[in-house]
Amino acid sequence: MTRGTVVEEVAEQIAFAIASGRLRAGERLPSIRRLAGEYEINPSTVQLVLGQLRTAGFVETHHGVGAVVRDVEAYGGVETWRYLFRFSRRLPDLAVRILRDILETLRMFYGSVLDKIEADPGAHDPAPVRRAWRRLDMLARDEEATPADVHQGVLDVLRAGSMAVGGGVFLGVLNSLGPMLGEVPEVLDVVFDAPGVHVWWWDQLISAWEAGDMGPARQAIGLLDDWHAEVLGRLRAALDAQVG
């Protein structure tokens, strides 16, 4: 086993202890010497493990104190949540909560885009978004397309839409959230199991944009509440079945 693999495995074990609540926010981790003995690794490898956990937002280090568990709920960034998502099968509650937050974030983005378009209809060109939608439509018709394939197609539409209205911070967030979803097959299965639904929904938004009438687009966004509830319910059932 390579040193890098050992670092990954030990970091994931400690991160899981934090995510599951066995190690609580504000709690000090054992000393480097004790961690080395507990995980049967040398102290220099422990330093690498702590560095990885610090980068991912799970711990912070203080001179004379050592490594202290961070409150990942309050201070965790995208990388923290991406790391946490790996524990979906073992922590269904956490997985459902993260997916719910991601879906709600996307909904806020859709509303923001519609506001920008309505404020200055001629300033934003929907043509690149329509081209991305056509690729998604072709993909959805392919019987061999997987949920992961559809996921990438939807991400392409989202990126095109974000760039059309100026890109910015959301595009960077999207580029982090996209791979996060792709790491959990159960999430892909429940979100992208019906490609035609995504094709239809995006067509409603883009057609409204092209027509200059955001009313139908806002109606389509209003449908997300029920769809989100259905998706989260199915994810819960799928993960609970695995735990059981």
Side-chain angles (χ1 to χ4, degrees):
M1 184 180 296
T2 66
R3 190 182 194 191
T5 302
V6 171
V7 170
E8 287 284 344
E9 288 187 357
V10 175
E12 183 160 314
Q13 289 180 50
I14 297 174
F16 181 77
I18 295 171
S20 62
R22 287 195 286 112
L23 290 174
R24 300 186 180 279
E27 186 174 342
R28 290 175 57 183
L29 292 185
S31 67
I32 289 176
R33 184 186 299 273
R34 285 186 58 190
L35 287 172
E38 180 179 349
Y39 291 100
E40 299 182 346
I41 55 179
N42 60 54
S44 62
T45 302
V46 173
Q47 293 280 16
L48 294 175
V49 169
L50 294 177
Q52 182 159 319
L53 290 170
R54 186 168 55 249
T55 299
F58 285 92
V59 303
E60 54 190 10
T61 54
H62 302 279
H63 181 69
V65 176
V68 177
V69 176
R70 295 187 75 199
D71 185 341
V72 294
E73 294 277 352
Y75 299 106
V78 170
E79 283 304 311
T80 310
W81 290 105
R82 183 176 180 180
Y83 211 103
L84 289 171
F85 220 27
R86 299 176 187 176
F87 305 138
S88 294
R89 292 180 180 89
R90 290 183 283 172
L91 299 173
D93 288 345
L94 178 63
V96 171
R97 188 165 72 249
I98 293 175
L99 180 58
R100 181 199 64 205
D101 291 346
I102 291 173
L103 294 176
E104 289 178 355
T105 299
L106 289 173
R107 176 171 179 154
M108 288 189 289
F109 167 72
Y110 303 143
S112 175
V113 167
L114 294 189
D115 290 342
K116 286 185 177 182
I117 295 171
E118 284 186 326
D120 192 356
H124 310 289
D125 182 11
V129 191
R130 176 58 79 182
R131 287 195 292 272
W133 176 87
R134 291 193 183 99
R135 293 192 293 272
L136 174 63
D137 185 35
M138 292 178 61
L139 185 64
R141 298 173 189 274
D142 184 350
E143 295 182 355
E144 296 184 359
T146 66
D149 295 330
V150 179
H151 169 52
Q152 290 302 317
V154 170
L155 283 179
D156 287 343
V157 177
L158 269 168
R159 287 193 184 95
S162 179
M163 293 177 68
V165 296
V169 172
F170 179 80
L171 187 56
V173 173
L174 174 66
N175 288 333
S176 296
L177 292 180
M180 183 194 303
L181 292 179
E183 292 176 359
V184 185
E186 291 82 3
V187 170
L188 293 181
D189 288 343
V190 300
V191 176
F192 301 105
D193 66 330
V197 171
H198 293 274
V199 171
W200 175 86
W201 190 85
W202 278 105
D203 187 42
Q204 301 306 299
L205 267 64
I206 300 169
S207 295
W209 187 347
E210 292 166 337
D213 177 7
M214 294 297 104
R218 293 195 183 279
Q219 290 177 4
I221 290 177
L223 299 174
L224 290 177
D225 286 339
D226 289 342
W227 183 72
H228 287 175
E230 177 187 345
V231 165
L232 294 173
R234 286 193 284 129
L235 178 61
R236 162 74 67 181
L239 293 177
D240 283 349
Q242 290 188 5
V243 173

